[in-house]
Amino acid sequence: MTESEILGPTARWVVGERNELAERALAQEIGVPAVLAALLVQRGYSDADAALAYLNPRVDGLHDPRLLPDYELAVAAILGARERGELIFVHGDYDVDGVTSAAIFSRFLNIIGCKVHTHVPHRMKEGYGIHGSAVLAAKELGAKLFLTCDCGIGAHEQIAEAREAGMTVVVTDHHHVGPEMPNAHAIVNPHRPDSQYPFQELSGAGVVFKLCAGITQELGHNAEGYYRAFFDLAALGTIADVMPLVGENRIIARHGLERLSETKKVGLQALMREAKLDPTQGKPLKAFNVSFGLGPRLNAAGRVDDAALALRLLLTSDDHEAGELAHQIEQVNDARRKEQQRIVDEAVEMVVAKDLAAKGVIVVGSEGWHAGLVGIVAGRLVEQFSRPAFVLAFDPNTRIYKGSARSIAKFHLAEAIHAHSDLFVSGGGHAMAAGCSFSEDNLERVSAALNDYADRVLTPDDFIPTVRADLEVGSDELPLSVAESISLMEPFGIENPAPTFLARNVSVMSIRPTRNPEHVQLKLRQNEGLMLDGIGFNMGARFQNLPLPYRTDLIFQANVDEWKGIRSLKWNIKDFVPAAS
């Protein structure tokens, strides 16, 4: 994709350049508006067949589950336990992906006649992954098959213990594979170096969803009925775990959101009521509703309480119990929000007081911070200060700092941690998100080492926030009908973001604060055209006291608002600068 750059006062603008020849050809061939065709070309769908497959993701586009690594071994172990009437111990994780993975296994295995006990770990008591106490619990229950989901690829010691206890171990996971895999009977993970599966980026729930789809086929059961029953949970795990919404994940998310809108699972219905989401009113659920509504509520249980609450909610068939559990989770989430904001405020105060924003990497920690919330806080610091952030909870009993990190482009967290492994008790993760722990004595050394590393790999330009626009357009190219056609690109998320546009020489005709003065309602006009509605979230201070009419170039999303059955176009402003001409 060709791009141009504009350096504004607060951010670097990166603007995609249009290929008018390719977009005209695609628009004519598949019958879509020019702007939608231009977006498709920008995202690599210039071929008509590829564009149509992207706009209309079909269930038959899902890959053959039999291509998953160790598929046959895993299926034989599960069906063998079923035939022998042996207990299967399902071990999930405490986040949404881990809980939905466990819920899919639990519901599906019970349906096909297995004996199942399902466990998700307590974050504070057991920590991430498989704790030895879970292996012991499985042994005491008499389980013969230890079946993991969304975890296990790094649990070498615990899997060895389970095997020594006489259990067959099947690992299903989606995390990156280390130099050596654990000694399990089967490891179903599309990230395996020897995997022939065509799509690596399944969530943990996605791996379980596909494995169980394969078992459905092996048993000769109705595949369509299986998908109807489990698309909702698979989509919930996929979207909440911030997986790239392309390829197979796009199919899962698109069809899963439709199924979630009409789910019969009383726990999900109760959760949506608590989140003030009511798909029966004609507004279909979007990925945004999962990312910022349902996902955080389910995650809150695992962050500050017990993930078992979320699992019970997803498994219950009792309306009354579902309502009570959903309300309890709502209360936990309210407490999580308040505690999270307290930590954010203290962390920001610490950054400002110590001038840490002048450094390449922010490292902050405190005894009073909840270990389950520091990852969210790290993300907030990255947003505010535009540099990698490590946020740590200090345990006075162990004298250990333990926390999470979030990053910016060009600073790979896992590589930075591994480059200084001698300073850490533990650490690892991904490029943009990671976890670590180290002793109290190493706090200053860790901070210095990470900042030295940043000095080597980052330049001053890397700290400038980037705002992207897919295309430059005129307001006449984006009527309501075209904005509505862009909804065919949903669900939006990682690697498939909501399209943004650059419009030049727009006049801000009026500015009206909302109930929250941080947000403002706008009236806009471009080149004496029709008046347009706009909104600037968290932009009240920037728009305050501007002389009207104010001429500006701006980046925006073209949103479709609906009020009392009337649909209208509203520009959601992402950034603006004085008009260039």
Side-chain angles (χ1 to χ4, degrees):
M1 179 174 83
T2 56
E3 298 175 328
S4 61
E5 288 192 2
I6 304 169
L7 190 60
T10 59
R12 178 191 295 110
W13 288 8
V14 178
V15 184
E17 295 183 4
R18 297 178 68 161
N19 183 335
E20 294 185 4
L21 184 64
E23 73 182 62
R24 278 199 300 270
L26 185 62
Q28 184 174 6
E29 192 166 0
I30 66 175
V32 297
V35 167
L36 178 55
L39 290 167
L40 292 168
V41 171
Q42 282 281 20
R43 299 192 182 192
Y45 302 103
S46 54
D47 174 77
D49 289 340
L52 289 171
Y54 166 79
L55 294 174
N56 303 283
R58 295 165 53 93
V59 175
D60 59 14
L62 293 171
H63 302 302
D64 187 343
R66 292 173 297 184
L67 296 175
L68 287 165
D70 281 356
Y71 168 83
E72 292 182 355
L73 288 172
V75 171
I78 291 168
L79 294 183
R82 169 181 175 259
E83 292 303 313
R84 294 185 294 271
E86 296 170 347
L87 179 66
I88 300 173
F89 188 96
V90 172
H91 190 296
D93 193 17
Y94 48 61
D95 66 358
V96 179
D97 192 22
V99 172
T100 51
S101 302
I104 293 171
F105 260 151
S106 184
R107 283 177 168 271
F108 176 77
L109 295 176
N110 274 297
I111 287 171
I112 66 170
C114 296
K115 293 171 60 179
V116 184
H117 178 88
T118 309
H119 171 78
V120 288
H122 192 290
R123 179 190 288 262
M124 305 311 294
K125 296 177 181 177
E126 297 175 66
Y128 173 75
I130 301 169
H131 193 271
S133 62
V135 176
L136 180 60
K139 177 183 177 181
E140 291 177 345
L141 286 168
K144 296 300 181 183
L145 175 59
F146 194 93
L147 179 60
T148 81
C149 46
D150 193 37
C151 66
I153 197 62
H156 296 262
E157 181 179 336
Q158 295 86 347
I159 288 172
E161 290 173 0
R163 297 198 71 167
E164 288 171 8
M167 288 180 273
T168 299
V169 181
V170 172
V171 170
T172 75
D173 202 350
H174 74 122
H175 293 97
H176 286 274
V177 180
E180 293 185 13
M181 292 192 296
N183 184 26
H185 176 73
I187 298 176
V188 185
N189 186 333
H191 281 290
R192 282 177 52 165
D194 60 343
S195 174
Q196 300 300 307
Y197 197 73
F199 185 71
Q200 281 194 330
E201 298 302 326
L202 289 171
S203 65
V207 173
V208 173
F209 176 71
K210 293 305 303 291
L211 178 61
C212 293
I215 295 174
T216 298
Q217 295 170 4
E218 301 286 346
L219 295 175
H221 294 175
N222 181 265
E224 183 180 346
Y226 167 79
Y227 288 131
R228 272 202 313 272
F230 292 103
F231 255 134
D232 50 6
L233 292 173
L236 191 54
T238 297
I239 296 168
D241 212 43
V242 201
M243 302 307 296
L245 295 187
V246 295
E248 198 163 31
N249 285 343
R250 178 170 171 78
I251 300 172
I252 291 172
R254 170 74 76 86
H255 289 275
L257 286 168
E258 292 174 1
R259 294 302 307 159
L260 191 58
S261 294
E262 54 192 26
T263 186
K264 303 302 181 186
K265 297 179 179 66
V266 294
L268 288 175
Q269 292 173 348
L271 186 68
M272 285 189 280
R273 286 194 297 270
E274 289 288 348
K276 305 296 188 292
L277 296 173
D278 187 359
T280 63
Q281 297 302 308
K283 284 189 177 182
L285 289 176
K286 298 181 180 292
F288 176 89
N289 301 128
V290 171
S291 298
F292 297 96
L294 304 180
R297 285 170 167 80
L298 290 174
N299 259 332
R303 286 188 184 279
V304 299
D305 200 292
D306 188 351
L309 281 174
L311 180 64
R312 286 171 57 200
L313 180 71
L314 297 184
L315 294 181
T316 186
S317 58
D318 182 89
D319 280 303
H320 179 70
E321 183 185 28
E324 287 189 337
L325 288 169
H327 183 64
Q328 188 175 349
I329 285 173
E330 186 70 16
Q331 291 177 317
V332 170
N333 191 49
D334 287 341
R336 185 271 307 171
R337 276 196 294 254
K338 292 174 183 175
E339 180 66 3
Q340 175 184 308
Q341 190 57 52
R342 179 186 72 82
I343 300 172
V344 168
D345 292 342
E346 290 182 8
V348 169
E349 183 179 349
M350 194 177 296
V351 171
V352 172
K354 297 182 178 181
D355 198 24
L356 299 180
K359 297 186 175 184
V361 179
I362 292 170
V363 180
V364 290
S366 175
E367 179 179 333
W369 294 352
H370 196 293
L373 301 177
V374 290
I376 301 174
V377 177
R380 295 288 182 86
L381 295 186
V382 173
E383 291 173 8
Q384 183 165 344
F385 298 107
S386 302
R387 58 237 311 112
F390 285 70
V391 181
L392 308 147
F394 179 66
D395 185 337
N397 296 315
T398 62
R399 315 306 295 178
I400 292 290
Y401 280 100
K402 182 179 181 181
S404 296
R406 299 294 183 268
S407 196
I408 59 174
K410 299 186 180 179
F411 189 92
H412 195 296
L413 290 169
E415 290 179 359
I417 292 169
H418 292 152
H420 305 94
S421 57
D422 58 310
L423 296 177
F424 294 90
V425 174
S426 64
H430 307 283
M432 302 298 286
C436 65
S437 65
F438 52 85
S439 70
E440 177 185 19
D441 295 339
N442 276 349
L443 176 61
E444 295 302 324
R445 283 192 285 271
V446 166
S447 180
L450 291 171
N451 275 284
D452 287 344
Y453 186 85
D455 289 342
R456 295 196 299 272
V457 301
L458 298 176
T459 69
D461 281 354
D462 295 328
F463 299 110
I464 301 173
T466 298
V467 179
R468 296 185 178 274
D470 291 89
L471 306 170
E472 181 176 342
V473 297
S475 59
D476 57 334
E477 293 184 273
L478 265 178
L480 176 62
S481 60
V482 173
E484 289 176 324
S485 75
I486 292 171
S487 66
L488 292 171
M489 298 177 68
E490 294 184 19
F492 297 128
I494 298 296
E495 294 189 21
N496 189 50
T500 51
F501 304 95
L502 166 63
R504 297 184 188 273
N505 200 23
V506 176
S507 293
V508 180
M509 307 302 294
S510 71
I511 303 168
R512 181 169 56 87
T514 63
R515 290 182 182 179
N516 182 343
E518 294 182 1
H519 315 317
V520 290
Q521 300 278 5
L522 308 169
K523 289 292 185 181
L524 309 168
R525 175 177 284 165
Q526 186 183 42
N527 300 327
E528 305 305 319
L530 295 174
M531 198 74 77
L532 298 163
D533 290 322
I535 188 162
F537 290 108
N538 300 307
M539 289 191 171
R542 290 187 62 191
F543 276 104
Q544 190 176 22
N545 299 324
L546 289 178
L548 298 179
Y550 179 77
R551 290 176 55 251
T552 177
D553 298 339
L554 49 81
I555 291 179
F556 67 98
Q557 291 176 350
N559 292 347
V560 178
D561 265 10
E562 185 169 343
W563 176 251
K564 295 184 177 180
I566 298 174
R567 294 165 70 82
S568 61
L569 178 65
K570 178 171 282 188
W571 286 14
N572 181 355
I573 312 304
K574 296 299 179 183
D575 200 11
F576 68 95
V577 297
S581 60

